[in-house]
Amino acid sequence: MAAFDDPLPANALPDNGPLAPSGVPLRRLLLAVGEPVVEVLAAPAGLDVSIRDVVILDPEDETVPYTGDLVLLIGARGRAAARLVRAAGRRGAAAIAVKADEGGGTEPLRATALDAGVALLAVRPELRWEQLQSLCRGVVDDARLGGSSDIGEVSGDLFSLAQTIATLTGGLVSIEDSASRVLAYSGGEEADELRRRSVLGRRGPEAYLALLRDWGVFRRLRAGEEVVRVDEHPELGIRRRLAVGIHAGTQPLGAIWVQEGAAPFTPQAEEALLGAARMAALHLVRQRTEATAGLRLRQDLLAGLLEGRGEPAALADSVRVDAEHTVVVVVFTLRDDGSGPGPDRSAVELRHRRMASLIGVHAAAYRREALVTTLGSRVYVLFPSLARRTAEPSVLALTRKVVAAARALPDLTVQAAVGSMVDSLADVRASRTEADRVLDVMGRDPAMDVATISDVRSRVLVGETLERLREDPRLRDPRVARLVRHDTAHGSALVPSLIAYLEAFGDVRAAAAGLHIHPNTLRYRMRRAGAVSGLDLSDPDERLSAHLQLLLEQGR
């Protein structure tokens, strides 16, 4: 997504020939946006409908077909747009984007779109139409060049990665191949002339490329992983830049460029670029090979190993572990703190993809051999070949850095758990299992960001004991159930009183103070609880058993 001073006409991007009939799935376009600026109001045919082009609707021309197009409905909002939505649907549009009114009013449009069988997207008022068109046309153009859905998928991943890099560096990002063709780019204001012309032309202007060659920039980018600084040249319309080469071994694949915007680069910009270059290399290698090779294969192999259905030998070429080193698994998940996008599956998927990109950049910067994969709603990172003496503190420090980076974003609140250090790939599942156990417990404590088993061991033990009770009713004491039924039938408070008493280790005064009742009232309730249930509260085993089952009854 790029920012421009003047409105962008519908035909501003170059025509690269006929698009492959399959087009780009709408889901891929939503992922490529890189930030939650578009809301799906209606999708009667799902999010896998194909988008073949991005066009601007002309209300004066009733004959233009929109078959398979994403139609940008400019100049009409709310109820006034209903007629145009219906017309675009009749003319074959796959999806229609409208500006959402500040005061709502989208429900009539949604009903119209559902009736017309067309997807409806609500665009935030502050997003400029030319930004949205430029980004979406970029993804469509990449599919047009590649002619396959796999290439489109890689492109979408690169756009998400570009947006992640932009967040971490504070600049405007473009990812280019070895011929300086723009593959993906981020959003942002303050684009200089070089960026504008590169994005519009899908390649850096030759005059500027010649200057970069004269300055030795390309030579340094091809030489290795050095982050190259390019000074500002106001007389040429060039702002300050950071760049890093993308390599597969010694073979250059391209480069990542970050233009400085209105604010300076972030302190971690160079480190983020290094990790991003390693991730981008995997994407570009995958783009050049079969769909099952490269990044996807490594992710699938790791997923199989973590789930216990794969063989450690399958990863032997990618991960080597010797007797002097250790391996660990770290798991991340999004925490639902009420500030997220709600139940909209496409929005949740977008947040999850952004989280995965953020984790991948940091992991690659920390260890080249790090592997990242997703299972369900959780993202797992395998860190191999760690020095035993410093492994745990260094991984904890990295994990905290990732969580802090996510916290700085408006809609990514992440929790993470570090598994046990293990000796070989054969033991990786044990590290993953422990990390999952820790994360399960953390889900009940939103204040916890990062933890290991040593931080929550007692909670894990209690949690797994309660799970065992939940799964096997035969282990439960019917006397506790009798006490719960009594409270329900008579409106009494024997259960919470007993829990407070047990959690205070039998200290009546402390428990009574927590309940805001007189100690004699609590003593009466304890005698009454014993009489109603038949429990012997002087027996430590019965107290422990009753306490666990009461916690289960409370939904713990």
Side-chain angles (χ1 to χ4, degrees):
M1 191 191 314
F4 302 95
D5 294 330
D6 300 317
L8 183 67
N11 61 352
L13 290 178
D15 185 5
N16 294 307
L19 182 65
S22 57
V24 177
L26 176 58
R27 184 189 310 276
R28 182 57 52 194
L29 283 181
L30 294 172
L31 291 174
V33 169
E35 54 180 324
V37 295
V38 175
E39 178 186 0
V40 179
L41 297 182
L47 295 179
D48 291 322
V49 294
S50 292
I51 305 298
R52 302 187 68 251
D53 203 355
V54 183
V55 300
I56 293 175
L57 184 145
D58 183 355
E60 304 302 322
D61 192 341
E62 296 290 340
T63 63
V64 176
Y66 293 127
T67 305
D69 291 342
L70 167 60
V71 175
L72 308 184
L73 189 54
I74 296 177
R77 300 192 183 190
R79 297 176 183 274
R83 181 184 66 82
L84 298 176
V85 169
R86 187 176 296 107
R90 283 199 308 266
R91 285 141 68 183
I96 301 171
V98 299
K99 283 290 182 77
D101 280 340
E102 296 286 358
T106 56
E107 187 56 36
L109 278 181
R110 179 178 179 274
T112 300
L114 289 172
D115 183 60
V118 62
L120 183 66
L121 311 178
V123 181
R124 286 190 180 179
E126 63 269 23
L127 182 65
R128 295 166 61 182
W129 282 114
E130 64 267 22
Q131 291 179 314
L132 180 63
Q133 186 194 34
S134 181
L135 174 58
C136 293
R137 282 294 301 270
V139 179
V140 170
D141 284 348
D142 282 340
R144 180 182 283 120
L145 290 169
S148 75
S149 58
D150 239 12
I151 299 301
E153 183 177 346
V154 173
S155 170
D157 290 341
L158 284 178
F159 272 100
S160 181
L161 177 61
Q163 196 66 41
T164 299
I165 303 168
T167 300
L168 295 176
T169 61
L172 286 71
V173 175
S174 62
I175 301 175
E176 301 179 1
D177 64 13
S178 56
S180 298
R181 290 186 294 256
V182 177
L183 303 175
Y185 44 91
S186 69
E189 303 293 334
E190 305 294 333
D192 64 13
E193 183 64 17
L194 173 56
R195 178 175 172 84
R196 283 194 192 93
R197 294 179 62 182
S198 297
V199 169
L200 280 172
R202 309 297 288 162
R203 187 177 188 273
E206 185 54 43
Y208 289 106
L209 298 180
L211 284 175
L212 294 174
R213 283 192 289 269
D214 292 342
W215 296 337
V217 174
F218 287 129
R219 174 181 53 78
R220 295 169 65 188
L221 292 177
R222 288 193 298 269
E225 290 188 322
E226 172 192 7
V227 175
V228 179
R229 292 179 172 269
V230 180
D231 293 334
E232 183 177 16
H233 291 272
E235 73 281 5
L236 301 173
I238 301 178
R239 295 190 179 181
R240 191 160 72 101
R241 276 171 167 72
L242 297 177
V244 65
I246 304 171
H247 299 85
T250 59
Q251 180 183 359
L253 299 179
I256 301 175
W257 295 84
V258 187
Q259 178 217 300
E260 190 172 54
F265 293 123
T266 62
Q268 72 270 23
E270 294 195 12
E271 181 185 5
L273 268 185
L274 179 62
R278 294 171 180 174
M279 284 195 68
L282 296 176
H283 287 302
L284 295 182
V285 167
R286 175 182 158 204
Q287 187 172 351
R288 294 183 175 195
T289 56
E290 294 297 326
T292 55
L295 177 62
R296 179 176 292 177
L297 177 59
R298 284 155 57 98
Q299 290 175 337
D300 289 346
L301 291 175
L302 175 58
L305 189 62
L306 294 176
E307 292 183 321
R309 53 181 173 79
E311 291 297 324
L315 277 172
D317 291 338
S318 301
V319 180
R320 291 179 174 82
V321 182
D322 56 43
E324 302 300 321
H325 293 82
T326 188
V327 185
V328 66
V329 174
V330 182
V331 59
F332 298 82
T333 192
L334 286 171
R335 190 179 75 208
D336 185 7
D337 58 0
S339 63
D344 184 345
R345 291 182 61 185
S346 64
V348 172
E349 185 176 350
L350 178 59
R351 293 173 68 217
H352 190 270
R353 180 63 62 91
R354 294 175 65 210
M355 175 183 71
S357 291
L358 185 77
I359 294 166
V361 167
H362 281 85
Y366 176 71
R367 280 289 185 278
R368 180 187 295 277
E369 302 87 357
L371 297 179
V372 182
T373 195
T374 299
L375 295 173
S377 62
R378 295 183 173 185
V379 177
Y380 295 85
V381 184
L382 172 68
F383 291 111
S385 304
L386 301 175
R388 291 182 181 278
R389 184 173 59 85
T390 60
E392 184 167 344
S394 63
V395 170
L396 271 171
L398 172 71
T399 305
R400 292 191 179 101
K401 181 187 291 187
V402 174
V403 171
R407 191 189 301 122
L409 302 177
D411 61 347
L412 286 184
T413 307
V414 175
Q415 288 183 309
V418 179
S420 55
M421 305 292 157
V422 295
D423 295 331
S424 69
L425 289 179
D427 301 321
V428 161
R429 193 181 184 198
S431 182
R432 179 257 171 122
T433 299
E434 182 173 288
D436 277 337
R437 292 164 66 194
V438 173
L439 196 60
D440 288 341
V441 169
M442 293 174 65
R444 295 191 289 271
D445 186 353
M448 296 192 74
D449 289 332
V450 178
T452 66
I453 188 66
S454 61
D455 298 317
V456 294
R457 194 180 302 276
S458 58
R459 299 189 201 181
V460 169
L461 176 61
V462 171
E464 293 189 355
T465 302
L466 294 180
E467 188 61 30
R468 183 77 177 96
L469 285 173
R470 186 176 291 109
E471 292 174 352
D472 191 350
R474 295 175 300 174
L475 296 176
R476 302 177 198 169
D477 191 330
R479 294 175 295 177
V480 177
R482 186 185 308 148
L483 184 64
V484 173
R485 289 195 301 271
H486 180 275
D487 261 9
T488 302
H490 297 85
S492 54
L494 300 181
V495 167
S497 299
L498 178 55
I499 291 176
Y501 173 79
L502 294 172
E503 290 183 346
F505 303 104
D507 186 333
V508 172
R509 291 190 178 278
L515 293 169
H516 305 291
I517 61 176
H518 194 278
N520 287 339
T521 302
L522 181 60
R523 291 188 182 98
Y524 167 76
R525 289 182 182 178
M526 291 304 94
R527 292 193 298 271
R528 182 64 178 153
V532 169
S533 64
L535 291 167
D536 180 3
L537 297 180
S538 66
D539 185 320
D541 289 339
E542 290 203 12
R543 289 200 304 270
L544 176 60
S545 173
H547 194 184
L548 288 171
Q549 190 169 329
L550 288 172
L551 292 178
L552 181 65
E553 296 287 351
Q554 282 194 323
R556 286 280 297 275

